[in-house]
Amino acid sequence: MIVYVEVEFMIPTAHSLKEKRAVLQRMITRTKQKFNVSIAEIDHQDVWQRTRLALVSVSSSKASAEREINHALHFLQSNPAWEQLEVWRDYL
């Protein structure tokens, strides 16, 4: 089972691409280290205060893939430097 999620965040404290990328890289690296997911920025690369991330989890069961994605999303949402705008899921 493959679970694919896109999540969009607003980073209100970022006043430059450099500040945005500092927050973003820290969270992407920590997410990869803590959870069994692939994660990448897929949109808004040249916008200071927005980002869209894609997360993918592959597992033998839907429940375990969903659990891993949910843990990663909860971790991302816990960052006080940004606000979640929307989440979109797909199951393959």
Side-chain angles (χ1 to χ4, degrees):
M1 175 56 73
I2 300 171
V3 179
Y4 173 77
V5 174
E6 288 185 14
V7 61
E8 191 162 329
F9 290 101
M10 174 71 79
I11 309 168
T13 59
H15 300 296
S16 67
L17 286 174
K18 188 174 182 178
E19 289 177 7
K20 171 195 168 180
R21 290 188 179 123
V23 171
L24 190 58
Q25 283 305 99
R26 184 171 52 249
M27 290 306 291
I28 287 175
T29 301
R30 288 180 183 170
T31 303
K32 286 179 181 178
Q33 290 171 345
K34 288 181 153 227
F35 306 102
N36 188 20
V37 297
S38 293
I39 181 172
E41 183 180 26
I42 60 168
D43 199 3
H44 307 302
Q45 286 92 344
D46 295 328
V47 179
W48 294 359
Q49 294 185 326
R50 287 181 74 181
T51 187
R52 179 175 287 266
L53 302 175
L55 290 86
V56 177
S57 179
V58 179
S59 181
S60 59
S61 71
K62 181 178 179 180
S64 62
E66 184 77 25
R67 183 173 44 252
E68 200 66 26
I69 285 288
N70 286 338
H71 289 309
L73 281 175
H74 181 70
F75 174 73
L76 290 169
Q77 293 162 348
S78 71
N79 184 358
W82 58 21
E83 306 165 11
Q84 178 182 306
L85 299 177
E86 74 174 324
V87 175
W88 179 81
R89 291 176 189 246
D90 197 11
Y91 302 92
L92 307 170

